[in-house]
Amino acid sequence: MTRFVLVLWFFMVSLAGASVPLDEQRASFLNISKNLTTQPQAPWPDAAEALKNYPLYPFLRYQWLKQNLNQNQAVERFLTDYSDTLYSALLRRDYLFYLAEQTRWPEFIKIYKPTSNRALVCHYQWARLNSGYRDSALQEAKKLWVTSETTPQACDSLFEGLIHSDYFSKEALWERFELSIKKNRTTLASQLMVLMAEPDQAKASLWLKVYNDPSSVTGAINWDNSIVGMEKIFAQGVVRLADSDVDKAIEVWDSTNSRFALTPESKDYVEGRLGLALTFKKNPASFSRLSRVVTPDSSIREWKVRAALIERNWQHVLNALDSLDAQQINLPRWQYWRARTLEALGQVDNSRRLYQTLAKDRSLFGFLAAEKSGLKPELNDRPLLLDPAELTAFQTKPDLLIVSELRAINQRSEAGQYWQYLLSKLDKQQILLAAKTAQQWGWHHNAVTTLARAEYWDDLNLRFPLDFMADVNQAAVTYQLEPSLILGLIRRESIFDPEALSPAGARGLMQLMPATGKQMALALNSPWESVDDLLKPEVNIRLGAHYFKQMLDRFNGHFMLAVAAYNAGPSKVDAWLLNSGAMPADIWMETLSYKETREYISAVLGYAIIYQLKLNREELKASQFMRDVSAK
């Protein structure tokens, strides 16, 4: 048992009759923490020692030590005493960088632990290289070197040692070059050319030329096909050309591929990419092209189904469904299409049986099947049954006390970071306890995502919160929307995290981009102070609902198209409609080239039905989402 666990145990024991009330400890912590931020080099404050029994004492100590890494004994003592906390891991990272900067390699090796931080891994192998472990360090360096990523500066010395050693090879150089090309790291590929011998530089130069100007692959008829690797340049050039001119790519491929010693895997790859390019253009020839793939992977198998749907050849659809692997074939999506296909082929009884079985599934496809079967959709709600005593005991764990205190003092980012660290240490049963704890705290986003880690899907009160209902109902009335649609969007966009921030900059519950939010606010003559307004639930829901209403009006009340536009943008939906022409809505959705939007539509509309059922409303039916799509 670490010193920290013992301290927290004493904290729990003394809560009832604590000499220093918890609110005073919190106030003291916040004051000291603020001073440490403004005066990072000041001595450790004596007042902090009165907080040794407070859950966030290690956080406070970490704040000071990370600014005073020259306190070697204090740092090493912290790493031992608080080894069970996130702050030990964070301080270890900071201290390792400090030791590397000081070139104190023996100490670095002593406290190093395996990490995903690439710079620290390079420092560690460099330390080993200089500490008598040359061979094994260079072997590990070679693994690190073969990557498509730009490596951190910390790796430079290690890689320099590798390049001038007998562990470096021409094969490793080409492997990294090819990886760089595949990952669109052309600058890195150009840098790698410098390390090549002159003949190899010429081949690499051609490769880069074809990558940057795919139309140059039309000259492959004149290439020297005796040079090893030219077949890879040709295959990749055809695939790149297919992105811009699939018809030309097919012409070049069909007329020239026999000149090159292509492997069966390469042929399948190119044929598959040509078939996909045709499918994305809704070209009826796509099924025939994809059928040329001799050994299709799971993705190509699925796209063959979609290609057959595009040509509306139901026998081809059935054949493609039969070729799905065992894992795919039982997914609700493909069970729906099998039932739909059998129905189209006139096999009514078989189709009805499949629909009835699928109707038990809690998804858009299950809800559609239920309506086709004349059955009520089923929620199959099975709340978690947890031992109350076990749950209470779990909530007194030191890590839980830390997270609870971070939330209490409104350190939400820190609390979320610590929560993820906590989950990494838990088994499946403990994760269920954690999910229930987050729900009890009203921390719905983390409750839902935590439950998903345990792969438990049937506690619907936990998975589908009814939060912010006053704001949702107000927006629904104002914009004549079903509350369940707004809830479905919130559930998919942010999982009820009012402070959600996407990598692209979308904010809040309904994940509005700042420009969109400001535009909606101006349209409504609503106050707009800054992008932070989008983090206010009442503002975000009002503006998000207004934007969704705009999408619904733009696409003539078509729910599915409005949802697609909310995800991908209205201009993209316009382009898809222009490309597809009129077709059944389910085929339109299934054959979208954007996987994210396909899954987004089925998720939001499925969630909307779940919320309809939870709210005991009957205004929306799954079939209403599947109105035929008209040509643009």
Side-chain angles (χ1 to χ4, degrees), residues 316-380:
H316 282 176
V317 176
L318 187 60
N319 294 343
L321 287 167
D322 287 340
S323 75
L324 294 176
D325 62 38
Q327 186 175 7
Q328 294 169 305
I329 207 164
N330 291 317
L331 293 175
R333 164 178 260 106
W334 303 122
Q335 286 292 297
Y336 169 80
W337 282 112
R338 179 175 291 277
R340 177 94 151 76
T341 301
L342 293 173
E343 182 181 27
L345 290 172
Q347 299 183 35
V348 179
D349 290 341
N350 290 337
S351 173
R352 184 185 300 114
R353 282 193 291 271
L354 260 180
Y355 278 136
Q356 289 173 347
T357 301
L358 181 59
K360 299 174 183 177
D361 188 75
R362 189 179 54 243
S363 68
L364 175 63
F365 301 104
F367 298 144
L368 288 169
E371 284 196 47
K372 283 180 173 289
S373 303
L375 300 171
K376 288 186 177 180
E378 296 186 23
L379 285 181
N380 300 311

Side-chain angles (χ1 to χ4, degrees), residues 279-282 303 572 576 588-596 598:
T279 309
F280 297 161
K281 292 173 71 67
K282 298 291 192 291
W303 276 105
K572 179 58 70 175
W576 286 335
W588 189 89
M589 175 182 70
E590 191 58 59
T591 56
L592 286 176
S593 58
Y594 281 19
K595 178 181 179 180
E596 178 192 340
R598 289 197 309 272

Side-chain angles (χ1 to χ4, degrees), residues 253-290:
W253 173 254
D254 287 347
S255 64
T256 315
N257 77 77
S258 61
R259 292 191 69 246
F260 296 94
L262 291 153
T263 64
E265 291 78 15
S266 291
K267 289 181 179 179
D268 274 356
Y269 175 69
V270 177
E271 291 287 7
R273 290 295 296 269
L274 292 173
L276 289 177
L278 289 171
T279 309
F280 297 161
K281 292 173 71 67
K282 298 291 192 291
N283 189 315
S286 57
F287 181 84
S288 175
R289 198 82 214 185
L290 288 173

Side-chain angles (χ1 to χ4, degrees), residues 18 52 72 427 554:
K52 277 194 172 182
N72 303 324
D427 60 28
R554 175 167 176 162

Side-chain angles (χ1 to χ4, degrees), residues 62-73:
Y62 163 68
Q63 280 187 290
W64 183 76
L65 285 171
K66 72 177 180 178
Q67 302 292 344
N68 294 272
L69 294 169
N70 61 335
Q71 302 289 325
N72 303 324
Q73 290 185 346

Side-chain angles (χ1 to χ4, degrees), residues 287 290 293-307 320-326 328 334:
F287 181 84
L290 288 173
V293 179
V294 177
T295 310
D297 61 16
S298 59
S299 176
I300 295 297
R301 292 173 192 272
E302 290 186 348
W303 276 105
K304 277 191 70 176
V305 180
R306 297 186 178 106
L321 287 167
D322 287 340
S323 75
L324 294 176
D325 62 38
Q328 294 169 305
W334 303 122

